[in-house]
Structure formats: C-alpha cells, structure tokens
C-alpha cells in the first residue's frame, strides 16, 4: 500500500466522522427549526459553498489550460434528477431524526448500501448471494433497534418508516450519481444537486411549517456545519480520496458513518439505548460491512 492510498483511507474516515457528527447537529437543529426549513437553508448554504469551490477550480483550469468539463444537458438533467432524490431523502431523514434521534437514524440510513445492489437487479446487474444474507441481517438489526425491552412485538415506529424511505431514496440517488457523474464535473453536479434539493423543499416549508428569522439565527452552527462541513468539505474530500482507493474499500470505510453517529450521540447528546438496540446497531453494521465484501474475497475469508 503506497503512502497516497494510506492517507486517502485515513481521510475517508475523517469524512465519515463528519457525516456522523452531522447527525448530531441535525438533531440539535430540530430544537429551533422544523425539518423542511432546516433542509432548505442547509441545501442552499452547501450549494453556495460548492459554487465558490467550482469557480475557484474553473479559474485554476483556465490558468493551466485544462479543458472545461461537460456543461450540457447531462449536467442539467443529472442535477435535477439527483436533486429531487436528494431532497426527498433529506426530508424523510430529517423527520426521522426528529422522531428517533441521531444514533438510530444513522444506522437505519446506512442501509442504503444494501439497497443499492438490490435495486441494481432491476438494471440487470447481478446480486451476489452475500447481499441476500446482508439483507436478512439488516432486517434483524432494524427489528432489534425498534423493539423495547420486555415488548418483542413486531412493529416499526413512524420514524423508522421515514428513515427506511430515506435509505431507499438515497440508494436511488447513488445509482443516479453512478450514471451521471462520469459525464459531468463532480463539484458542479453536486452544486446543482443541492440547489434543486433546496428549491424542491421550499413549498413544503411554507405549507407545513412556519419558519422564523429567530429560528434560523438560533440554528446558525448546525446550518453552517451541515451546509459547509458535511456537504462541501466532506464531499470534496470524498471525491479526492476515491481517486486513490478502490471503490469496495471506500464504501466499506464510508459505512462507518453509522457507527460514528451512535458514538457521537452517546458522547454529546447523552443518548440512552437499551441493550437490544445496541445489539441491533451492531448487527446492521455487520450487514453493511458484509454487503461490501466481494464474493470471492468472502470465500477466501471463510476458507482460512
């Protein structure tokens, strides 16, 4: 392993820790703002930050004589489709965080890594047997997260359904990014994505919520963290790191986001979890990691 790969893998852990911390700020934000209001301003802050980054990169390219990236219909269509998926996923996630808290939300959201290969079946992509095992483990973990000690009846809370919907929609978003990112500049595509996501949620903000200036000002730090650190800085680092790290390893490292969300909720929010919920979180983490191990590699591990 060369030095650049090692540094990139370490930076990917920094990225996932930022995303895990974002769940904490999203949880705190719900004390001052309602879900749509927070998402609108967060999206626009992130889009503005990425616009500035894109302009700086464009100026650098011009200075070095590097060709301009594609800015045709693929960028527009990709921004709209991915932005719609992102806006829907963010809305369901924020509602889920408000109902369930940061830690559980992080683990249930991480199921998108399992939904991706399942949805890939409809795109005529093969689904390895290991993914089926991972799905069964994930469902077991989600069940344990949502039962109370002494009451083992099968029922999902309202927040869980929102988070599962969020996870499923993020899987669609990932597949859309997989299709459009090779055709467009990544930073410009994401800038457009979050601009569309913010526009999408504006009507819902005014129909279902009553945003106030005082609410936004009281929530300035969560807005800045989620807009700049989580959307802008973490995304930029992710793009850089994935150039130097194999996609399977990168996905595996990024799946630790859910672990950071629970860890930070215990440290900063003093969240309390029952034993079966912690076991459920661990099972979901195992399922997520298992889904990222190639079938041949898994066979080698079992044989040894």
């Amino acid at each position: 392993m060369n030095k650049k790969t090692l540094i990139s893998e370490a930076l990917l852990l920094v990225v996932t820790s930022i995303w895990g911390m974002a769940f904490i700020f999203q949880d705190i934000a719900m004390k001052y703002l309602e879900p749509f209001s927070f998402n609108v301003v967060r999206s626009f802050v992130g889009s503005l930050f990425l616009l500035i980054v894109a302009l700086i990169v464009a100026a650098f390219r011009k200075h070095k004589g590097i060709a301009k990236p594609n800015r045709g219909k693929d960028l527009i269509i990709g921004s709209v489709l991915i932005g719609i998926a992102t806006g829907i996923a963010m809305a369901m996630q924020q509602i889920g965080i408000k109902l369930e808290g940061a830690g559980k939300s992080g683990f249930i959201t991480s199921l998108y890594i399992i939904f991706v290969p399942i949805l890939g079946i409809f795109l005529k992509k093969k689904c390895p047997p290991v993914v089926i095992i991972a799905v069964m483990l994930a469902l077991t973990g989600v069940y344990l997260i949502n039962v109370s000690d002494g009451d083992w009846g099968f029922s999902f809370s309202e927040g869980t359904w929102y988070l599962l919907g969020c996870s499923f929609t993020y899987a669609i978003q990932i597949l859309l990014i997989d299709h459009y990112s090779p055709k467009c500049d990544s930073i410009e595509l994401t800038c457009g994505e979050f601009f569309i996501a913010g526009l999408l949620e504006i009507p819902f903000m005014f129909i279902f919520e009553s945003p106030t200036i005082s609410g936004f000002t009281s929530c300035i730090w969560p807005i800045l963290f989620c807009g700049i650190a989580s959307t802008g800085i973490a995304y930029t680092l992710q793009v850089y790191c994935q150039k130097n790290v194999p996609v399977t390893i990168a996905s595996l490292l990024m799946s630790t986001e859910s672990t950071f969300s629970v860890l930070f909720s215990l440290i900063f929010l003093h969240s309390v979890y029952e034993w079966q919920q912690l076991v459920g979180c661990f099972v979901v983490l195992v399922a997520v990691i298992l889904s990222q191990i190639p079938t041949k590699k898994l066979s080698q591990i079992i044989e040894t």
Side-chain angles (χ1 to χ4, degrees):
M1 181 183 298
N2 59 49
K3 185 177 180 181
K4 182 178 289 187
T5 300
L6 185 61
I7 293 175
S8 295
E9 290 182 353
L11 285 175
L12 273 177
L13 288 177
V14 174
V15 168
T16 56
S17 68
I18 291 174
W19 287 339
M21 179 61 76
F23 279 97
I24 307 305
F25 281 98
Q26 289 172 256
D27 194 1
I28 294 172
M30 292 301 90
K31 297 178 182 178
Y32 307 100
L33 287 175
E34 293 176 280
F36 291 114
S37 300
F38 177 74
N39 281 338
V40 167
V41 68
R42 169 196 178 180
S43 295
F44 286 145
V45 168
S47 182
L48 177 61
F49 178 84
L50 288 171
L51 175 60
I52 295 172
V53 173
L55 291 173
I56 294 172
V57 172
F60 176 80
R61 283 173 174 160
K62 183 177 180 180
H63 177 71
K64 293 293 184 179
I66 302 174
K68 295 181 180 179
N70 173 32
R71 289 174 180 162
K73 64 179 183 179
D74 286 324
L75 177 61
I76 297 173
I77 296 173
S79 295
V80 171
L81 293 179
I82 297 170
I84 291 172
T86 300
I88 294 172
M90 287 174 57
M92 288 191 288
Q93 183 186 69
Q94 201 60 48
I95 295 171
I97 290 174
K98 184 176 182 179
L99 295 172
E100 299 293 343
K104 288 171 61 176
S105 299
F107 267 93
I108 297 175
T109 298
S110 69
L111 292 177
Y112 67 79
I113 298 179
I114 296 172
F115 284 136
V116 167
I118 294 176
L119 288 174
I121 294 176
F122 296 97
L123 299 176
K124 297 181 180 180
K125 296 182 179 181
K126 293 183 179 180
C127 182
V130 67
V131 173
I132 298 175
I133 298 174
V135 169
M136 299 304 295
L137 280 174
L139 290 176
T140 301
V142 171
Y143 166 73
L144 290 173
I145 289 173
N146 286 276
V147 296
S148 299
D149 193 10
D151 180 13
W152 294 86
F154 186 82
S155 63
F156 284 166
S157 65
E158 180 183 1
T160 298
W161 287 114
Y162 276 112
L163 292 167
L164 286 173
C166 157
S167 178
F168 183 81
T169 310
Y170 266 133
I172 295 175
Q173 179 228 35
I174 290 169
L175 290 173
L176 286 170
I177 290 176
D178 181 65
H179 178 75
Y180 283 101
S181 60
K183 305 176 182 181
C184 310
D185 178 79
S186 298
I187 296 176
E188 293 180 1
L189 181 63
T190 306
C191 178
E193 168 195 348
F194 279 96
F195 179 74
I196 295 298
L199 285 180
L200 178 68
E201 296 196 29
I202 286 178
F204 298 96
M205 176 180 71
F206 288 111
I207 293 172
F208 298 107
E209 301 173 355
S210 301
T212 62
I213 297 299
S214 61
F216 288 118
T217 55
S218 299
C219 195
I220 189 64
W221 290 114
I223 289 172
L224 290 177
F225 185 90
C226 293
I228 296 176
S230 180
T231 300
I233 296 174
Y235 172 79
T236 304
L237 284 174
Q238 179 194 1
V239 173
Y240 169 77
C241 294
Q242 285 198 231
K243 293 178 181 179
N244 307 310
V245 179
V247 65
T248 302
I249 302 299
S251 298
L252 176 59
L253 291 169
M254 287 187 288
S255 71
T256 59
E257 169 191 355
S258 56
T259 305
F260 281 114
S261 69
V262 167
L263 177 63
F264 290 145
S265 70
L266 287 169
I267 296 173
F268 297 106
L269 299 180
H270 306 293
S271 300
V272 178
Y273 299 95
E274 297 179 0
W275 68 269
Q276 74 276 3
Q277 292 176 322
L278 294 175
V279 172
C281 288
F282 177 76
V283 172
V284 170
L285 179 62
V286 171
V288 168
I289 294 175
L290 185 64
S291 71
Q292 298 304 303
I293 301 177
T295 303
K296 291 183 179 180
K297 183 66 175 178
L298 182 63
S299 298
Q300 294 174 0
I301 292 174
I302 294 174
E303 290 174 1
T304 56

